[in-house]
Amino acid sequence: MARTDFGPPDYREMVPPIIKENYGDWKYHTVPRPGVLRHVSNSGAVLHSVRVASPRLVSSEWIHDICDIAEKYCDGYLRFTTRNNVEFLVADETKLEPLLAELDEKDYLIGGVGLSISNVVHTQGWIHCKSAVTDASGITKSIMDEMTGYFTGKQKVPARLRIAVACCVNMCGACHCSDIAIVGIHRTVPRINDEMASRICEIPTTVASCPTGAIRPNPKLKSVEINPEKCMMCGNCTVVCPAIKIMDPVNDGVSIWVGGKVSNARTAPMFSRLAIPFIPNEPPRWSTVTAAVKNLVEVWAANARDGERMGEWIGRIGWERFFKLADLPFTDKHIDDFTHAKTTFRSTTQFKF
Amino acid sequence: MSLVQVKGTQVELDEDGFLVDPEDWSEEMAAYFATVEEVADLTDNHWKVINYLRDYFKKFGVAPMIRKLCKDTGFSLKEIYELFPSGPAKGACKLAGLPKPTGCV
């Protein structure tokens, strides 16, 4: 029998000697230039990490290429960050400049450190997922093409700004807690193939999967029926029952959410909230989505104080100001109507005209 | 989709090898699935699990939770994996002719 349950390799086998020697003994770090971190330990050891953008979905050739670079300048050591960037870990200071030169020459984007717009956390999209309402890699590429200056540090931002893409409301990844989030949404009530549902779907599971109780059993056909008045097209039933289809190329698209954060710095973590209810899918460049994201970044960058995240900025100026400054219409879609919606309503007379 | 010949009848399977129509299930079908899911011999213990799954599905319309399966059959999850190397969902449920498990599996 095959060897099983032996877990991932111990990370200590793969950290560079300089990190092993100074583990838990670092004194401080600085950012000498965008994309480069300089860590200094109590013993005086200096480690440079050079952060480079990655498209997350990569070929093995690409992996081989970064391995070759790591071999040449970092004794074979590199790491991936939690936003899927690559960091080359340079222990030998004399190799830093040649590494930066080679990365530049090979068109790797150096950046994503500190006050910048780092990589987009994103999902499978039309590359691999059956419930994807929109693509992930395509939107990510289109957005980051616009954000390159913010990634490399050429354009300044007042604080970190996290962008995330999720291709459906499952929200795999970080959409619910990002400064700007792009989430794929449906706008069509699902269709049921009754004959197929009676064979391959667990009816009670399908009924229980609906957050609004819009689904009830249809015992005559051994299937289910959906109340279109109650359905908000989340697609959860299509996940558990393959006989229910919801895809609609015309009405499917994305929504844009703003103001989420996960850190506890200055303010508590926040969920992101709806800014734009719907933008249609426009492959391959998603130009309306990209323009909307660019607008949000620019309005925030022009108005926020130093160190103020998107959600903190909106918290200070208020949502009515935000919608005005961002030039976005406020619609009925923005008003929460799910179970505990009442807490999101305004229970004060304080507001700005 | 694919078709297999089991005891002279043609049976339709989906891309993961699950029955397209649960009505096609038979004891011979379970024996056929055993060969593709690395179950060497169908022992009494295998049949205990298969029959339990079939009865439960017939009664409630869903596959039982793993905890329920273990509690009612008396087999620990470890023993279930010894009986069905590909696990309770991909292995045991397939042999029992239950629908393919769905969700974020």
Side-chain angles (χ1 to χ4, degrees):
Chain A
M1 207 172 146
R3 188 172 159 238
T4 58
D5 298 316
F6 47 91
D10 190 332
Y11 67 94
R12 283 168 295 197
E13 292 166 20
M14 279 166 284
V15 298
I18 185 170
I19 293 186
K20 225 181 244 176
E21 286 154 19
N22 297 285
Y23 205 90
D25 197 27
W26 297 98
K27 201 171 173 186
Y28 66 92
H29 76 266
T30 57
V31 183
R33 55 154 280 181
V36 179
L37 286 154
R38 184 174 190 269
H39 287 269
V40 180
S41 80
N42 283 321
S43 67
V46 176
L47 173 79
H48 285 90
S49 29
V50 178
R51 194 172 293 174
V52 164
S54 117
R56 188 181 70 91
L57 201 65
V58 298
S59 64
S60 40
E61 282 86 352
W62 191 87
I63 302 274
H64 280 298
D65 199 32
I66 57 168
C67 288
D68 287 342
I69 295 171
E71 201 71 58
K72 214 162 149 189
Y73 301 98
C74 319
D75 304 316
Y77 292 103
L78 60 78
R79 66 182 283 264
F80 281 84
T81 69
T82 52
R83 297 191 84 80
N84 306 305
N85 290 307
V86 185
E87 268 182 26
F88 295 102
L89 306 167
V90 193
D92 180 354
E93 222 168 332
T94 61
K95 286 182 178 167
L96 179 64
E97 286 307 320
L99 167 66
L100 293 170
E102 176 161 351
L103 291 171
D104 261 339
E105 193 198 325
K106 287 189 165 169
D107 281 339
Y108 282 95
L109 276 185
I110 303 164
V113 168
L115 297 189
S116 67
I117 298 183
S118 190
N119 214 355
V120 174
V121 168
H122 63 283
T123 54
Q124 311 261 16
W126 294 332
I127 301 274
H128 196 69
C129 187
K130 71 174 168 63
S131 62
V133 195
T134 185
D135 192 29
S137 297
I139 295 187
T140 299
K141 165 70 175 151
S142 305
I143 290 173
M144 282 318 275
D145 280 350
E146 285 292 338
M147 299 298 144
T148 307
Y150 295 108
F151 182 88
T152 57
K154 282 199 186 79
Q155 283 165 284
K156 300 288 172 217
V157 278
R160 281 157 212 267
L161 184 110
R162 302 297 192 213
I163 305 177
V165 173
C167 47
C168 81
V169 293
N170 250 15
M171 284 207 202
C172 301
C175 269
H176 65 298
C177 57
S178 293
D179 295 282
I180 299 181
I182 293 99
V183 181
I185 53 155
H186 297 284
R187 296 190 305 165
T188 312
V189 175
R191 290 85 60 191
I192 307 164
N193 180 334
D194 290 315
E195 193 266 331
M196 192 176 163
S198 69
R199 283 188 283 118
I200 63 168
C201 294
E202 295 185 347
I203 303 302
T205 312
T206 311
V207 171
S209 74
C210 184
T212 59
I215 302 181
R216 59 179 193 194
N218 180 345
K220 217 192 285 170
L221 296 171
K222 287 189 181 169
S223 177
V224 292
E225 53 193 17
I226 297 174
N227 177 355
E229 293 290 310
K230 282 176 133 186
C231 177
M232 57 175 177
M233 304 98 180
C234 69
N236 209 22
C237 54
T238 67
V239 175
V240 297
C241 174
I244 302 180
K245 301 283 183 216
I246 191 168
M247 294 299 169
D248 176 356
V250 176
N251 285 306
D252 288 352
V254 305
S255 54
I256 298 187
W257 302 66
V258 296
K261 76 194 267 282
V262 283
S263 84
N264 281 289
R266 300 170 306 278
T267 51
M270 298 177 217
F271 283 130
S272 43
R273 288 167 173 234
L274 185 65
I276 304 176
F278 181 76
I279 300 174
N281 278 324
E282 296 162 327
R285 297 300 297 177
W286 275 268
S287 43
T288 314
V289 174
T290 312
V293 171
K294 192 170 175 240
N295 171 45
L296 287 167
V297 170
E298 283 171 358
V299 169
W300 163 75
N303 290 281
R305 291 177 182 161
D306 279 349
E308 204 169 42
R309 299 275 297 257
M310 177 77 87
E312 294 166 339
W313 167 61
I314 299 171
R316 176 167 60 83
I317 65 169
W319 283 92
E320 53 269 69
R321 276 273 175 83
F322 163 77
F323 277 95
K324 204 172 198 175
L325 286 169
D327 194 23
L328 295 172
F330 184 83
T331 68
D332 58 327
K333 302 280 184 294
H334 289 90
I335 302 168
D336 192 351
D337 55 4
F338 198 60
T339 317
H340 300 296
K342 206 175 153 193
T343 57
T344 67
F345 299 161
R346 180 159 300 173
S347 51
T348 164
T349 53
Q350 296 180 346
F351 70 96
K352 296 189 182 80
F353 279 103
Chain B
M1 296 278 178
S2 64
L3 293 167
V4 287
Q5 287 277 354
V6 176
K7 293 263 164 171
T9 45
Q10 261 199 346
V11 178
E12 200 181 354
L13 303 179
D14 68 11
E15 64 268 33
D16 296 303
F18 279 80
L19 280 179
V20 170
D21 190 344
E23 297 294 315
D24 286 338
W25 189 86
S26 61
E27 294 196 357
E28 287 77 25
M29 212 51 229
Y32 163 77
F33 285 137
T35 62
V36 293
E37 296 299 332
E38 298 166 58
V39 178
D41 297 302
L42 280 174
T43 62
D44 287 348
N45 284 347
H46 289 96
W47 283 112
K48 188 175 169 190
V49 174
I50 292 172
N51 290 331
Y52 170 76
L53 288 172
R54 287 192 65 78
D55 290 344
Y56 192 96
F57 189 80
K58 210 169 158 189
K59 201 164 164 192
F60 298 108
V62 296
M65 300 284 152
I66 306 277
R67 277 179 68 100
K68 186 89 181 123
L69 169 69
C70 293
K71 209 172 174 182
D72 289 353
T73 59
F75 295 123
S76 67
L77 188 55
K78 191 163 174 279
E79 288 164 328
I80 299 274
Y81 267 91
E82 279 159 9
L83 293 169
F84 302 94
S86 44
K90 193 177 172 287
C93 281
K94 186 188 273 187
L95 264 71
L98 265 53
K100 180 166 63 186
T102 55
C104 292
V105 283

